[in-house]
Structures are given as C-alpha cells and as structure tokens.
Amino acid sequence: MITLGVPSKGRLMEKTFQWFAARGIEMRRTGSERDYGAEIAGLPVALRLLAAGEIPRELAAGRIHLGVTGSDLVQERIPAWDQAVETVERMGFGHADLIIAVPAWWVDVTSLDDLDSVAADFRATHGHRLRIATKYHRLVRDFLREKGVADYRLIDSQGATEGTVAHGTAEAIADITSTGETLRANHLAILQDGMIHRSEATLFRSRIAHWGQEERASLGAVTDLLQAGPTK
C-alpha cells in the first residue's frame, strides 16, 4: 500500500477531492473535521490529510509516496527538489504567481534592471541594503542571482507581506498573488519581468519513499486511472 497526502482543509482540499473523483478515485472523510480521518475506496492507497505546507516535508522524508501541494511550496521547501520528488501531474487549479513588486510611486522602476540600479543607489544613500520582504527565500534568492541583482537583503515575512512596505519594514516584496487586487490595494506594482514562479496544485511522487514491487503496483493502479482522464 502507498500513502497519498492531500491538503486537509479549505478550497484546496475540496478541489483535490473533486479532481480525483472526476478520474474515478473517490476520497472521503471518515471522522470529524478535527481528527483528519480519510480514505480512498477500492484502491490500495492510504489517504492522509495534511497541511499543504507539510506535504513537501513528508515527500522529501519519504514518509508519503504521493502528495498534492503547490509547486511553489515544493520548490521553496525542498533543497534540490527535483532530486527528491518528481511531478506526476499538474492539476489545473490553485494557480498563483510568485512575483516581485515595488511601491507604485516608484514610477521609474518597472524592471529588474531598474531595481538593481535603485538597490545600488539605496545602499549608497542609506548605508544598508534595500530590503525585500518574502516568505520564499530560496526561490527569490535563486531568481535574483540568476538575473544579476545583488544589492538587497531578504526580510522574513510571516504575516501580510503586502503591508510591509506601508509599515516601513521593507522597500519591496516578493509574494504570491492570484489576481493582484491586494497588491493594488497596498499601492504596489509588479515588475514587468518580476515573475519568479507560476504555481499550481500538483501531484508529486517522492523519489525517497520505499518503492518495492507492491508499492509500484499500487502506483500503477492510480496512474492507470489518471491517464484515462476525467470521466464524463
């Protein structure tokens, strides 16, 4: 038997259940909302309800064989993620973009080159690096290194990242957005080339988990249904 981890609450859980149901895999809760019991009927698969942010950790540790979570969380939270997990299928929901945004009143800052120039001037003027608030340190650092932006400092944000500029704790942000409405409400503008990662809910397979003959047979039963596609 293999273990599949899926989000434990909210629209992401609902969408996940619906996505699998459309492919003939019926998931159901078996207890109250507090005990997180769940099962899959008719397949040799144990279902675990987990916080979406816990699923990358469980995949990387090999404690679950399959997991549904955002691709942003996997790439942020698993070092060398493509060596620890592989993508089984992109699921077509839970879309969000990880972007870099600056104050809307920085009218001359529309690109990463502009940001790089402003960052250098900022350090010369203020004596410290321009601060970028984010929850996504690995993804942002790798992206900015690749783009040649150097004079900045990442500030950890565990609350409302969009508010850090208004509160004076950062000069720019790197955060997830779906519609951009919250950014606009906080007077922030996305850089034209500031797209770091387009995230969506994705079914991942752990490369670290034990994959014996029985586990591979169970995976085959699941993937046969997935490959058949949604039922009418």
Side-chain angles (χ1 to χ4, degrees):
M1 180 175 284
I2 59 175
T3 302
L4 166 62
V6 303
S8 60
K9 61 179 66 174
R11 287 188 56 80
L12 197 54
M13 183 190 76
E14 294 171 6
K15 289 279 191 180
T16 299
F17 277 35
Q18 292 167 5
W19 188 88
F20 278 98
R23 290 154 179 80
I25 299 174
E26 294 291 338
M27 299 177 170
R28 57 175 176 257
R29 303 196 70 143
T30 58
S32 70
E33 292 188 2
R34 293 186 178 183
D35 66 16
Y36 298 107
E39 64 182 10
I40 295 177
L43 281 175
V45 178
L47 185 60
R48 287 182 61 190
L49 300 182
L50 300 166
E54 294 177 348
I55 291 173
R57 180 191 66 202
E58 297 301 290
L59 286 165
R63 289 188 288 264
I64 59 176
H65 296 82
L66 301 170
V68 173
T69 190
S71 55
D72 60 312
L73 295 177
V74 163
Q75 294 190 27
E76 172 63 24
R77 299 189 179 188
I78 305 178
W81 67 273
D82 53 347
Q83 297 177 30
V85 303
E86 68 173 341
T87 298
V88 176
E89 193 152 349
R90 294 177 176 84
M91 301 172 75
F93 61 87
H95 293 99
D97 297 332
L98 177 59
I99 53 81
I100 295 179
V102 299
W105 56 89
W106 288 10
V107 293
D108 294 328
V109 182
T110 60
S111 69
L112 289 168
D113 283 344
D114 296 333
L115 181 66
D116 191 38
S117 297
V118 166
D121 292 342
F122 186 92
R123 187 176 187 186
T125 302
H126 298 281
H128 64 86
R129 288 189 172 97
L130 182 145
R131 298 164 298 176
I132 302 175
T134 189
K135 301 178 181 72
Y136 295 87
H137 291 241
R138 188 190 311 279
L139 282 168
V140 175
R141 189 180 297 111
D142 289 350
F143 177 78
L144 291 177
R145 182 188 303 118
E146 179 183 333
K147 299 299 182 181
V149 179
D151 255 337
Y152 68 90
R153 180 161 59 104
L154 295 183
I155 301 296
D156 190 48
S157 170
Q158 294 303 321
T161 303
E162 301 92 340
T164 56
V165 172
H167 295 156
T169 56
E171 286 70 51
I173 72 163
D175 201 19
I176 285 287
T177 182
S178 296
T179 65
E181 291 182 7
T182 304
L183 295 174
R184 289 188 288 273
N186 285 276
H187 310 291
L188 297 169
I190 301 172
L191 295 181
Q192 293 172 356
D193 52 355
M195 174 69 69
I196 299 172
H197 177 70
R198 292 188 181 276
S199 182
E200 69 177 291
T202 303
L203 175 62
F204 291 98
R205 182 182 78 87
S206 171
R207 298 181 186 272
I208 308 302
H210 175 71
W211 289 100
Q213 184 174 351
E214 292 182 359
E215 287 81 10
R216 293 183 181 279
S218 297
L219 177 64
V222 173
T223 55
D224 284 349
L225 291 168
L226 299 184
Q227 290 170 2
T231 57
K232 297 293 185 180

